[in-house]
């Protein structure tokens, strides 16, 4: 018997179905059922770097939340968070049943720090999530990176992304009488990238419309907006990292080096007669050179300045 | 009872019986029937019944008595009201075995079924929109009688 797949409407998105051929939105339906029944739903999305975990996650959530009658996404970009404080804010403000994607901010943050935040977020919100009903999606490189309690007992589904748009869903079921955790195959996913009819590029990273000089040319497709949000987080993180690196460098500066740098700001810590105010010098050092020092070191530097530049300081 | 184990044991016994040198038609028959008996009635679907019918043949056997090596004539049998021929149902036990295996496959014992979710990545256009339930009903109607 030839098997034909029929087009059907799933929350505004086109899906193909034929239950006889075992093609049906099994996972999306299961997800919707869990949300309707107000059951905790934590899903981990795994796959090697660059395989499309984040895009796949966002596509699943967009399909699950569906479109409005006007054809707009119910899922908003605000529901994608990269940091623990944002996650907590969202947990409080988000309407019941809405999904949260706790995405990995790729390289902008140490992976170790990020996993710490995810673990913290999950452990601290187990109880509240039961009442708030926010299905959580976490794209990670490997499930083993998550805390053992989380990966064994708090995760309900694992989605293993094999290739762009292709993934296998597993149901994680811990035994109620032993330490065993069973991983049962649930279904396979085949998602053609959402909005491919608007833009068929498989990545936005080398696209001119991602962040053009003229804002009118800016691409407003969901994945482009996601990339811009991610880039913003990355830039913030990079500048923080740069500041930290500079701070670490100045901490190890010798008294001579600090004195040399402070010479440029001499007007800020001397009075009209050229007399140095030690407290002011310490404030200027902290503000301009990111060097925090105590009174003793402050007075040492005052004496050093007087010794090296007797004509300037009295 | 670990029924899956008992079924697997039945299949293994059949394999051993057919490959051994002492294999005989009655032995094969008995092993197939032993497996047959393990199949609950509720599992038997139309396809299973069709497969059994394929393995079943009706033969007409000559059952005339013989006297001192001489077979009695048909006329003699008719005059003495002794049946000359008899209808006998014969089963091809290899085909019966096949019917059992097919049934086990349909029940999901032999291979894992892969369930798939496909999204085309497009928004559904309003005029073409078709509710999931309607599509499902349409498919069921087209495939009435089972897949």
């Amino acid at each position: 018997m030839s098997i034909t797949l029929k087009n059907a409407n799933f929350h505004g998105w086109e899906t193909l179905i034929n239950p006889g051929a075992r093609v049906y939105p099994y996972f999306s339906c299961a997800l919707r059922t869990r949300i309707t029944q107000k059951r905790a739903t934590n899903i981990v999305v795994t796959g090697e770097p660059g395989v499309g975990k984040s895009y796949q996650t966002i596509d699943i959530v967009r399909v699950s939340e569906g479109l409005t009658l006007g054809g707009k996404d119910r899922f908003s970009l605000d529901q994608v968070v990269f940091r623990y404080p944002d996650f907590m804010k969202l947990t409080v403000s988000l309407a019941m049943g809405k999904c949260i994607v706790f995405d990995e901010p790729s390289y902008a943050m140490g992976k170790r720090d990020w996993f710490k935040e995810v673990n913290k977020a999950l452990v601290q919100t187990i109880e509240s999530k039961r009442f708030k009903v926010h299905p959580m999606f976490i794209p990670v490189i490997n499930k083993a990176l998550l805390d053992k309690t989380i990966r064994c007992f708090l995760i309900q589904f694992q989605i293993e992304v094999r290739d762009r748009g292709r993934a296998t869903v597993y149901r994680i079921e811990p035994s109620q009488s032993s330490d065993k955790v069973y991983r049962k195959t649930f279904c396979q996913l085949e998602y053609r990238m959402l909005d491919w009819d608007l833009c068929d590029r498989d990545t936005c990273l080398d696209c001119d419309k991602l962040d053009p000089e003229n804002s009118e040319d800016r691409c407003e497709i969901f994945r482009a907006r996601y990339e811009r949000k991610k880039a913003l987080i990355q830039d913030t993180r990079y500048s923080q990292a740069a500041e930290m690196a500079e701070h670490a460098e100045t901490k190890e500066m010798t008294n001579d080096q600090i004195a040399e740098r402070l010479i440029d700001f001499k007007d800020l810590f001397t009075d009209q007669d050229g007399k140095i105010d030690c407290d002011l010098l310490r404030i200027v050092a902290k503000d301009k050179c990111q060097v925090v020092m105590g009174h003793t070191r402050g007075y040492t530097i005052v004496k050093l300045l007087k010794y090296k530049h007797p004509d300037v300081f009295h | 009872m670990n029924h899956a184990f008992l079924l697997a044991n039945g299949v293994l016994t059949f394999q051993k019986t057919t490959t051994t040198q002492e294999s005989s038609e009655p032995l094969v028959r008995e092993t197939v029937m032993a497996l047959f008996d393990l199949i609950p009635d509720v599992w038997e679907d139309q396809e299973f019944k069709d497969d059994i019918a394929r393995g079943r043949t009706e033969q007409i056997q000559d059952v005339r008595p013989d006297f001192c090596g001489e077979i009695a004539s048909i006329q003699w049998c008719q005059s003495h009201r002794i049946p000359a021929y008899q209808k006998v149902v014969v089963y091809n036990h290899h085909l019966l075995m096949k019917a059992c295996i097919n049934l086990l496959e349909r029940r999901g014992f032999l291979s894992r079924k892969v369930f798939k979710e496909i999204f085309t990545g497009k928004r559904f256009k309003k005029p073409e929109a078709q509710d999931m339930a309607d599509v499902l009903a349409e498919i069921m109607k087209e495939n009435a009688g089972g897949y």
Side-chain angles (χ1 to χ4, degrees):
Chain A
M1 187 197 297
S2 65
I3 291 166
T4 49
L5 298 174
K6 298 260 179 182
N7 296 32
N9 183 3
F10 186 88
H11 294 209
W13 295 101
E14 187 184 72
T15 181
L16 300 178
I17 67 169
N18 187 340
R22 299 180 202 95
V23 180
Y24 195 78
Y26 295 102
F27 179 62
S28 296
C29 287
L31 196 60
R32 289 309 313 166
T33 309
R34 287 189 76 90
I35 294 169
T36 314
Q37 293 175 348
K38 298 183 176 51
R39 293 163 75 182
T41 310
N42 297 314
I43 298 162
V44 64
V45 185
T46 58
E48 59 184 76
V51 80
K53 292 186 294 293
S54 300
Y55 281 5
Q56 180 79 53
T57 310
I58 288 170
D59 284 359
I60 291 168
V61 182
R62 283 178 74 191
V63 163
S64 171
E65 295 211 350
L67 302 173
T68 60
L69 288 173
K72 292 198 170 174
D73 273 292
R74 283 201 179 92
F75 178 68
S76 136
L77 196 60
D78 297 336
Q79 289 168 249
V80 182
V81 291
F82 296 93
R83 291 169 306 183
Y84 177 64
D86 300 336
F87 169 76
M88 287 313 291
K89 271 182 219 158
L90 203 60
T91 309
V92 173
S93 61
L94 204 61
M96 191 183 266
K98 301 283 270 176
C99 303
I100 299 176
V101 178
F102 201 142
D103 199 7
E104 184 189 15
S106 311
Y107 315 121
M109 191 174 178
K111 285 207 187 300
R112 197 178 290 267
D113 294 341
W114 184 77
F115 289 121
K116 251 190 234 166
E117 292 204 352
V118 172
N119 290 331
K120 200 162 127 191
L122 270 173
V123 170
Q124 289 194 358
T125 54
I126 309 163
E127 282 303 314
S128 65
K129 277 169 80 63
R130 270 180 53 224
F131 305 109
K132 291 276 181 186
V133 194
H134 295 312
M136 190 167 166
F137 288 77
I138 313 157
V140 288
I141 289 169
N142 196 304
K143 202 175 74 163
L145 291 165
L146 295 175
D147 185 79
K148 196 190 170 190
T149 319
I150 293 163
R151 68 170 186 260
C152 295
F153 308 117
L154 292 176
I155 299 292
Q156 281 78 39
F157 289 99
Q158 181 186 357
I159 301 172
E160 208 175 280
V161 182
R162 301 187 310 276
D163 198 359
R164 301 235 159 147
R166 290 172 194 276
T168 309
V169 182
Y170 298 97
R171 177 79 171 93
I172 308 292
E173 284 183 338
S175 164
Q176 298 299 308
S177 52
S178 69
D179 289 341
K180 282 183 185 169
V181 179
Y182 300 102
R183 198 178 83 141
K184 297 174 183 170
T185 308
F186 191 80
C187 74
Q188 290 191 349
L189 301 181
E190 272 189 31
Y191 278 55
R192 189 154 182 200
M193 195 159 60
L194 301 190
D195 296 331
W196 66 269
D197 47 337
L198 303 175
C199 173
D200 61 354
R201 295 178 78 98
D202 61 349
T203 176
C204 296
L205 293 178
D206 54 347
C207 181
D208 299 334
K209 288 184 181 173
L210 182 64
D211 207 5
E213 287 172 13
N214 188 354
S215 61
E216 283 176 11
D217 297 335
R218 215 158 68 156
C219 177
E220 288 300 332
I221 291 178
F222 199 97
R223 57 177 185 271
R225 290 192 287 129
Y226 161 76
E227 286 295 349
R228 278 198 290 272
K229 181 175 180 177
K230 194 168 167 176
L232 191 71
I233 298 284
Q234 283 176 332
D235 290 345
T236 316
R237 284 279 163 180
Y238 284 139
S239 52
Q240 279 175 2
E243 271 177 31
M244 278 170 69
E246 199 171 337
H247 180 69
E249 199 179 301
T250 48
K251 240 169 112 178
E252 289 165 10
M253 279 165 75
T254 61
N255 289 348
D256 283 340
Q257 284 170 326
I258 294 169
E260 284 310 308
R261 286 186 72 169
L262 283 171
I263 282 283
D264 300 336
F265 310 104
K266 65 178 192 305
D267 297 339
L268 297 173
F269 54 85
T270 51
D271 59 13
Q272 287 174 345
D273 305 328
K275 198 178 173 189
I276 301 171
D277 184 329
C278 183
D279 290 334
L280 262 178
L281 179 133
R282 284 172 55 223
I283 292 166
V284 171
K286 189 184 174 187
D287 189 39
K288 302 289 181 190
C289 310
Q290 285 80 43
V291 179
V292 181
M293 59 180 115
H295 280 283
T296 317
R297 197 175 187 195
Y299 282 115
T300 311
I301 288 172
V302 169
K303 282 176 185 166
L304 196 68
L305 284 169
K306 281 179 183 172
Y307 174 73
K308 288 208 167 181
H309 306 280
D311 50 329
V312 182
F313 303 108
H314 306 294
Chain B
M1 261 205 318
N2 189 348
H3 203 70
F5 169 76
L6 293 179
L7 288 168
N9 197 33
V11 175
L12 281 173
T13 313
F14 172 80
Q15 256 193 333
K16 279 178 198 161
T17 311
T18 48
T19 49
T20 184
Q21 278 191 334
E22 290 84 37
S23 174
S24 64
E25 192 58 37
L27 205 59
V28 171
R29 186 183 66 218
E30 289 310 315
T31 50
V32 172
M33 291 323 288
L35 180 65
F36 221 82
D37 293 342
L38 285 173
I39 291 169
D41 287 347
V42 286
W43 287 13
E44 292 181 9
D45 54 7
Q46 192 53 46
E47 212 167 320
F48 182 66
K49 285 170 186 161
D50 292 346
D51 283 347
I52 292 171
R54 222 167 286 139
R56 174 193 155 117
T57 45
E58 282 186 358
Q59 290 179 352
I60 297 171
Q61 280 183 356
D62 190 345
V63 288
R64 284 178 291 171
D66 63 322
F67 303 103
C68 304
E70 190 73 32
I71 298 171
S73 69
I74 294 170
Q75 290 80 9
W76 186 87
C77 290
Q78 279 173 352
S79 62
H80 288 81
R81 299 192 175 188
I82 295 170
Y85 300 104
Q86 198 180 15
K87 268 189 182 174
V88 182
V89 175
V90 179
Y91 287 99
N92 180 336
H93 290 94
H94 287 275
L95 287 179
L96 289 190
M97 184 69 196
K98 200 85 179 160
C100 291
I101 294 291
N102 289 344
L103 179 69
L104 293 180
E105 162 63 18
R106 281 196 301 283
R107 300 288 307 180
F109 278 90
L110 307 186
S111 54
R112 182 181 286 172
K113 289 174 177 61
V114 178
F115 296 88
K116 205 177 266 187
E117 170 170 326
I118 304 176
F119 277 90
T120 59
K122 286 193 291 186
R123 284 172 162 79
F124 220 109
K125 297 282 179 290
K126 201 77 174 152
E128 304 159 24
Q130 210 172 357
D131 195 63
M132 287 261 291
D134 294 341
V135 180
L136 211 57
E138 203 179 304
I139 291 169
M140 292 298 183
K141 206 171 152 188
E142 277 176 18
N143 297 290
Y147 293 99

